[in-house]
Amino acid sequence: IGEDLKNELVNELCASTPGFTPPKVKEQMFYKVGLADAVDLFRARRVFIKDGFAYVPFKEIDVIVLNNYRTKLSKALALTARSLPSIQSDERLQPLLSHLSHSYVGPDYSVGKNAGKISLEQIDALCVKSFPLCMRQLHRALRDSHHLRHGGRMQYGLFLKGIGLTLEQALEFWKKEFIRGKVDADKFDKGYAYSIRHNYGKEGKRTDYTPYSCMKIIMSNPPSQGDYHGCPFRHSDPELLKQKLQSYKISPSGITQILELVKGMHYQLACQKYFELTHDVDDIGFSLNHPNQYFTESQKLLSGGRELKKEFNNAGNFQQKNNSQESINPSATPTSSNATADTELEGLEAYFTED
Ligand code: SF4
């Protein structure tokens, strides 16, 4: 509604909208919506009603949007249920339908523009700051045992490809690590290099493979004994998950929230909560569907966060934020100090804040 109408109704809006005073009415936007759309607010006596219209403050408008969405969704579901038998009887559509709920339709995070933007020296620091738990687990296992089995090599290798490792870097990265274990250089070149080149579309069918989405990781190829791939929120024993989160300095209340989400089988929401807790934000601001999305969003956030941190440090009043940032880092910085990590990550800002 316009300012004139708002001024005219200021007393009524104050009296009928809980928590509103005349100055607050002046600064808030109000929407005039049909009473039928605001029944819940009307029933709870939270809005002013006049001539069949409700005057809804901005902070309550989500209730209206939600109701509208719910109505449209239930109509669409009813229509779908009615059409389903005839669609299912068409054998051309059957495979499409049965894969629909498992398919991932977001960006594929193929290497493309990212290639070569990351150096091998940055990986340990990036792992602590910006890898989702699944990739952090794989990286840790690789560094500790100097080996990963096939499922882990595929999941982690394609993720690294997505964040920007070139084929040459990937060969160097895996070889360096494997030859520290039981595999010698010759065996690596004969046995493992092929599959890395294969992932980059240089062998076999020459398919340029893309990193796995959360859905794929959660729904297929569960890890067996000795495997480290999969999604820790889906595939780890809750007690082990709890210990892992404790070792990463997640607060007890944060761990409880994550475990509740895991119990309700909301694995990606649990991962979003992990993101919020490790990045010290209240709302993740995106819907998580892909480990590479996690990485990109983390880098975007940390780039902005770092500038903010500098500003606040200059002003000398950023103690709390600075502490919470530090509480993330010591948890698993195996080879680099925080300062080194920051230096190593310089230059990535522009890259991850684009698009
Ligand atoms: Fe990885 Fe996705 Fe599981 Fe998070 S939800 S740990 S990104 S698979």
Side-chain angles (χ1 to χ4, degrees):
I1 62 173
E3 286 305 309
D4 292 347
L5 185 55
K6 209 160 57 166
N7 288 337
E8 198 182 301
L9 296 175
V10 64
N11 292 332
E12 288 86 344
L13 291 172
C14 277
S16 317
T17 320
F20 271 74
T21 54
K24 203 167 170 200
V25 166
K26 288 219 166 84
E27 73 194 31
Q28 272 267 336
M29 271 202 288
F30 277 78
Y31 295 86
K32 184 177 171 181
V33 302
L35 186 53
D37 287 326
V39 173
D40 288 347
L41 292 170
F42 169 57
R43 199 180 288 141
R45 296 170 189 268
R46 301 188 64 80
V47 285
F48 172 57
I49 304 288
K50 189 180 177 200
D51 299 334
F53 288 97
Y55 291 75
V56 182
F58 179 71
K59 71 181 180 74
E60 302 278 19
I61 204 71
D62 54 345
V63 177
I64 312 281
V65 175
L66 205 64
N67 278 344
N68 209 295
Y69 176 72
R70 203 177 281 138
T71 312
K72 289 211 164 105
L73 185 64
S74 67
K75 263 190 201 157
L77 285 173
L79 276 174
T80 311
R82 213 181 295 157
S83 330
L84 210 52
S86 62
I87 296 172
Q88 274 174 332
S89 64
D90 187 329
E91 61 187 31
R92 290 168 306 172
L93 294 175
Q94 266 175 10
L96 199 68
L97 280 177
S98 53
H99 283 104
L100 205 56
S101 62
H102 296 184
S103 61
Y104 170 72
V105 289
D108 64 9
Y109 296 95
S110 57
V111 70
K113 61 176 185 164
N114 304 351
K117 302 250 174 114
I118 284 179
S119 73
L120 297 188
E121 290 68 41
Q122 289 174 316
I123 294 180
D124 285 317
L126 286 169
C127 170
V128 175
K129 287 172 172 248
S130 293
F131 282 15
L133 202 54
C134 52
M135 302 305 167
R136 195 167 173 176
Q137 170 172 288
L138 282 163
H139 184 74
R140 199 59 264 145
L142 177 65
R143 287 285 193 237
D144 289 346
S145 60
H146 316 299
H147 191 268
L148 281 180
R149 290 164 73 177
H150 180 71
R153 293 199 303 274
M154 288 298 287
Q155 183 176 319
Y156 190 39
L158 289 171
F159 169 80
L160 291 175
K161 179 185 172 191
I163 69 171
L165 244 59
T166 61
L167 172 59
E168 293 68 32
Q169 285 179 307
L171 286 166
E172 186 187 339
F173 173 75
W174 290 99
K175 188 170 183 173
K176 260 188 186 164
E177 202 59 53
F178 270 44
I179 59 174
R180 293 178 67 201
K182 291 184 185 142
V183 177
D184 63 34
D186 193 41
K187 189 174 171 195
F188 181 88
D189 290 340
K190 286 187 184 137
Y192 296 97
Y194 177 90
S195 69
I196 295 168
R197 284 199 300 273
H198 194 267
N199 275 355
Y200 279 74
K202 304 292 179 202
E203 301 284 358
K205 284 190 289 174
R206 303 206 166 246
T207 308
D208 196 9
Y209 291 95
T210 52
Y212 295 168
S213 67
C214 294
M215 187 70 91
K216 185 175 169 78
I217 294 172
I218 290 170
M219 304 291 284
S220 56
N221 189 22
S224 320
Q225 186 78 16
D227 283 332
Y228 292 93
H229 68 268
C231 170
F233 298 105
R234 167 66 183 90
H235 298 118
S236 287
D237 174 80
E239 191 48 42
L240 288 179
L241 177 62
K242 186 177 170 185
Q243 286 169 16
K244 182 161 289 180
L245 294 170
Q246 279 168 342
S247 74
Y248 291 159
K249 308 277 185 280
I250 305 292
S251 65
S253 69
I255 294 178
T256 309
Q257 290 177 62
I258 290 176
L259 292 178
E260 271 304 304
L261 288 164
V262 167
K263 203 165 147 198
M265 297 194 290
H266 305 301
Y267 310 116
Q268 284 158 264
L269 292 182
C271 189
Q272 289 189 189
K273 179 53 71 185
Y274 172 77
F275 184 104
E276 286 167 5
L277 294 164
T278 50
H279 291 75
D280 197 20
V281 289
D282 292 335
D283 185 358
I284 186 172
F286 62 91
S287 170
L288 177 75
N289 291 306
H290 203 293
N292 290 76
Q293 177 195 20
Y294 183 108
F295 175 79
T296 307
E297 293 293 339
S298 166
Q299 282 294 299
K300 278 186 198 169
L301 189 73
L302 294 176
S303 308
R306 215 165 39 221
E307 274 159 27
L308 196 66
K309 193 165 81 178
K310 278 178 202 155
E311 272 173 36
F312 275 82
N313 277 340
N314 289 343
N317 60 355
F318 198 55
Q319 197 59 42
Q320 194 185 348
K321 185 86 181 171
N322 208 15
N323 284 344
S324 63
Q325 192 79 21
E326 279 171 0
S327 74
I328 302 166
N329 292 337
S331 62
T333 310
T335 56
S336 313
S337 69
N338 294 343
T340 320
D342 273 351
T343 319
E344 282 170 350
L345 300 179
E346 287 298 339
L348 289 175
E349 266 168 46
Y351 161 42
F352 286 108
T353 46
E354 71 190 26
D355 84 24

